[in-house]
Amino acid sequence: MNQIWDESIAFIRHEAALLVPLALATLYVGDVITNLAQDFATPAKPNTAATIAILVGTIWSIVGQLSIVSLVLKPGQSVGEALAHGGARLGKVLLVALILGVVVALALTPIAVIAIANGANPAVPETLQKLPGWLGLLMFAVLGALIWLGIRLSLMNALIVDRNPGVVDALKGGFRLTQGIAARLALVIILYALILLVLGSAVKFVAGSLFSLLGAALGSAFAGAVMTALVAAIVNTGLALIATVFLAVLYRRVRDTR
């Protein structure tokens, strides 16, 4: 994993002239759109336009990730060629994601039904504390299994970009690629998630506090939200770029050695 990390950083430095514009045009723009829209779409206050914006921003970010993977796996491309290649693989990636989403929903539905039958109400956190202990253990077990599934399939998108397999082959191939390295990959992903959570939250808190005051001084809360989203997206984009390149380089190493 240390070698993959070093190779990933070296690749980012060498191809910065391509990666930075691509990441800004896709990951950054998608993150800004998503963050701004989330301020207007909550479970308590549904907003159709904001929900659509979140969907558009998320899909555009996925296109960016697939394009970055394409640059890693197929050196010599232009940004436009990488975008075209990533966009061409979007449908397959979304289809697989939809299938996995159904699997997750099926796994969580019985727990949700049991929880509601026992008086749980997501809008009232206090009701969750009254649930039976065994239900909490079951929920953690299911969530743990789903997280492990995500780790085992973490190289699947790179496989789709590289070889464009069928849906079933993509799922099987994703599992095969992480065989023997899943535990080490899990540690890397957990570390990355912690860094993203801590650094992202800190930047958003500091920037949010500062720009909220500035927005209030300007008489526009929306202006403060925009400035916060623009700054927070810089950190998110940088971390997403590193993670995407890392997984693509790892995929390439595993592909070439098996």
Side-chain angles (χ1 to χ4, degrees):
M1 290 299 170
N2 287 336
Q3 292 177 350
I4 300 299
W5 171 260
D6 292 339
E7 190 174 344
S8 301
I9 297 302
F11 180 85
I12 291 173
R13 289 173 177 168
H14 186 265
E15 300 293 345
L18 295 175
L19 289 172
V20 172
L22 179 56
L24 290 176
T26 55
L27 303 181
Y28 182 78
V29 171
D31 191 86
V32 170
I33 293 173
T34 302
N35 280 330
L36 285 176
Q38 285 175 344
D39 292 335
F40 298 94
T42 64
K45 295 173 58 180
N47 185 309
T48 302
T51 301
I52 293 174
I54 291 173
L55 182 61
V56 170
T58 300
I59 290 176
W60 186 235
S61 293
I62 294 173
V63 171
Q65 291 173 347
L66 299 178
S67 302
I68 291 169
V69 171
S70 181
L71 279 178
V72 176
L73 300 181
K74 302 179 185 297
Q77 294 183 95
S78 67
V79 170
E81 290 170 336
L83 274 171
H85 190 198
R89 297 292 189 263
L90 176 65
K92 181 70 62 64
V93 169
L94 292 180
L95 177 58
V96 175
L98 178 62
I99 293 173
L100 292 175
V102 172
V103 171
V104 171
L106 291 175
L108 295 179
T109 296
I111 297 176
V113 171
I114 296 172
I116 293 174
N118 280 271
N121 184 349
V124 184
E126 292 77 10
T127 61
L128 301 178
Q129 300 175 1
K130 300 178 182 179
L131 293 176
W134 64 267
L135 184 58
L137 292 176
L138 177 60
M139 181 178 66
F140 279 115
V142 172
L143 289 176
L146 293 175
I147 291 173
W148 186 249
L149 174 64
I151 293 170
R152 289 302 306 268
L153 295 176
S154 58
L155 301 182
M156 183 180 62
N157 284 356
L159 172 64
I160 293 175
V161 171
D162 186 29
R163 297 180 178 173
N164 195 27
V167 172
V168 175
D169 288 337
L171 292 168
K172 289 181 179 179
F175 268 91
R176 284 196 299 267
L177 286 167
T178 54
Q179 185 175 359
I181 62 171
R184 285 171 289 169
L185 185 55
L187 292 176
V188 173
I189 291 176
I190 291 172
L191 178 60
Y192 171 80
L194 289 174
I195 293 173
L196 179 62
L197 177 63
V198 173
L199 187 58
S201 298
V203 171
K204 196 163 187 178
F205 174 77
V206 173
S209 300
L210 176 62
F211 291 131
S212 292
L213 293 174
L214 183 56
L218 296 173
S220 173
F222 180 70
V226 170
M227 289 184 283
T228 300
L230 291 173
V231 172
I234 294 175
V235 175
N236 294 338
T237 298
L239 292 175
L241 173 61
I242 293 172
T244 303
V245 171
F246 178 88
L247 290 176
V249 171
L250 177 59
Y251 165 81
R252 187 175 63 189
R253 174 71 66 87
V254 173
R255 178 199 64 185
D256 293 344
T257 55
R258 291 188 180 178

